[in-house]
Every structure is written in structure tokens, then in C-alpha cells.
Amino acid sequence: MTMPFSRLGAKKRAEGLAADRLPPGQYIPRGWPVLHYGPVPKFDESSWDFRVFGATDGGERRWDWAGFGELPRTEIRADFHCVTKFSLLDNTWTGVATGVLLELAPPASGVTSVMVWAEYGYSANMALADFGGDLSMLVTHRDGALLTPEHGFPLRLVVPHLYAWKGPKWVRGVEYLTADRRGFWEQRGYHNLADPWREQRYSYQESPGDGPVG
Ligand SMILES: Nc1nc2c(c(=O)[nH]1)N[C@H]1C(S)=C(S)[C@@H](COP(=O)(O)O)O[C@H]1N2
Ligand SMILES: [Mo]
């Protein structure tokens, strides 16, 4: 991960914020940085689907683009914290609350965690409770504007209370897990839990029980 922007002015942009508004170590960048591994995928509406699979209660569910567009939509206002230390405050996100999916495609009773899957095999794991958190949402718009391709068009997850790598861009599905498993960055040295307020950045900071072994 690189940081293709300047820290100049970051301090000025943080002036006037309540002291506890930014998680430890975070700063406010200019604009909205783009950060991801690999290329930006092309959206093909005719083959796009969103799948909920794994340990479901009652079977898998799959939506095509038109069907997904019929799901009830809501709006939230939330901050966004990247592990590379930039934070975007007061974003308005529009999309489908993860709670809607959990209702329409309920997990089996033994499900503890989920793996969220995106194009090219990117994945992020999190506790079921984090995925279903009040602010967790599959979003199509930020501040009223459609996501651009580099920010995740047509759909990305945001989980505002965790570091942003837990929110895959170009998201395509959710796998329900009965045992936690590490996702893409979690296998590459990032913390399994990723709470920005506890600065859970790297896997070497994990306590026993924070993550699956291996
Ligand atoms: N598919 C995919 N989603 C991803 C990533 C990625 O590499 N691939 N990087 C994550 C990381 S580390 C961050 S900080 C945010 C950045 O989102 P942005 O580029 O819209 O700022 O996307 C997250 N989602
Ligand atoms: Mo990140």
C-alpha cells in the first residue's frame, strides 16, 4: 500500500475537531485517496451477481444487478479510517444495510464470522456481529455521487467501526463461516480484528484469541 498524497495541511484540516474524533495515529488527507491491491475491475452488468453462501440457514441466495437494485436502501453518516492513517470524516453512504441481507439470507445458528468476497479474489473476514453492525452497509454512493470505478463501483462494503481494508471494493458476495478464517490482508500481516480505536493495525499486535491460528 502506498500513500500517493501529501501530509501537508493535514494538521490544519484537523484543527477544530474534538480531541477524541480521530482514532490514534490518524490524520485528515486532502481529497479521497485511492488505495487497493491490483487492477480496477470492469463492471459487466449481465454477469454481475451478489451471492450469500456458506453456512446459511435455508440455502444460498443470489441477486443479479437488477434484483440487487430492488433491495431497500438507506443512508448513513460515518467516518472512514484507513490503516495507512488517513481518515475521511462525515461521509454520507447510500446503499443496502447488511442487516437486510442477514434477514433475507439468514446465517445458520453456528455462524461466528463472515468472509466478504470481491473481484479477483480479494477477501476480508470479520465477526458476524461486525458485518451486521448498525453502520455496516453495501454502498453504491458517497455524498450523493455514484462510486467511481477506483472507489469500488458498482458496490463496496463499508464497516465504519473497523479499518477500511475490512470493506472490500467491487464486492461480490458473503460467505458465512462457522470458524474464523483470515482474509487477504489478514493473511499478509494485518490485524484480524482491525479496531481503529484500539489501533489494531498489525497481526503481531494480536492477543491470543483475536484470530484463527495460521
Ligand atoms: N477489492 C479491494 N477492496 C479494498 C482494497 C483492495 O485492495 N481490494 N483495499 C482496502 C483498503 S486497504 C482501503 S484503505 C480501502 C480504500 O478505499 P478507497 O480507495 O475508496 O479510499 O479499500 C479497501 N478495499
Ligand atoms: Mo487501507
Side-chain angles (χ1 to χ4, degrees):
M1 290 187 282
T2 55
M3 234 176 359
F5 49 86
S6 152
R7 279 181 189 237
L8 285 178
K11 197 171 169 212
K12 194 162 182 16
R13 287 188 287 279
E15 273 167 17
L17 284 180
D20 59 356
R21 183 66 192 274
L22 278 179
Q26 298 296 112
Y27 71 96
I28 299 173
R30 199 188 308 275
W32 186 9
V34 171
L35 209 58
H36 56 262
Y37 177 82
V40 174
K42 281 208 174 67
F43 172 53
D44 175 8
E45 189 177 325
S46 64
S47 62
W48 188 94
D49 63 2
F50 189 92
R51 288 177 61 216
V52 181
F53 61 103
T56 59
D57 178 16
E60 299 188 6
R61 287 289 306 262
R62 180 185 165 275
W63 288 270
D64 62 15
W65 182 246
F68 197 87
E70 285 163 16
L71 296 177
R73 299 169 61 78
T74 46
E75 202 174 275
I76 56 156
R77 197 169 173 79
D79 299 344
F80 178 96
H81 308 296
C82 172
V83 70
T84 65
K85 301 195 171 179
F86 72 82
S87 288
L88 298 180
L89 304 184
D90 289 326
N91 309 282
T92 298
W93 300 107
T94 317
V96 177
T98 52
V100 169
L101 291 185
L102 292 169
E103 255 177 50
L104 293 174
S109 62
V111 172
T112 57
S113 311
V114 305
M115 189 71 79
V116 181
W117 289 100
E119 302 285 356
Y120 299 136
Y122 184 85
S123 61
N125 64 305
M126 67 203 77
L128 177 62
D130 288 320
F131 178 73
D134 286 344
L135 296 178
S136 301
M137 179 182 267
L138 292 152
V139 312
T140 54
H141 292 69
R142 174 179 177 263
D143 294 346
L146 193 62
L147 294 175
T148 56
E150 59 270 25
H151 285 301
F153 172 82
L155 192 70
R156 78 181 295 167
L157 179 67
V158 293
V159 181
H161 68 287
L162 301 179
Y163 283 125
W165 85 78
K166 296 287 190 180
K169 305 193 272 194
W170 318 296
V171 63
R172 293 288 303 275
V174 182
E175 179 183 1
Y176 293 150
L177 305 177
T178 54
D180 196 13
R181 229 163 64 208
R182 289 179 193 274
F184 182 86
W185 287 120
E186 295 81 2
Q187 287 173 21
R188 289 166 175 77
Y190 285 88
H191 199 291
N192 195 55
L193 300 180
D195 179 349
W197 297 97
R198 302 179 67 188
E199 263 202 284
Q200 292 174 329
R201 297 181 192 274
Y202 307 110
S203 53
Y204 66 74
Q205 301 168 313
E206 288 176 15
S207 303
D210 284 350
V213 178

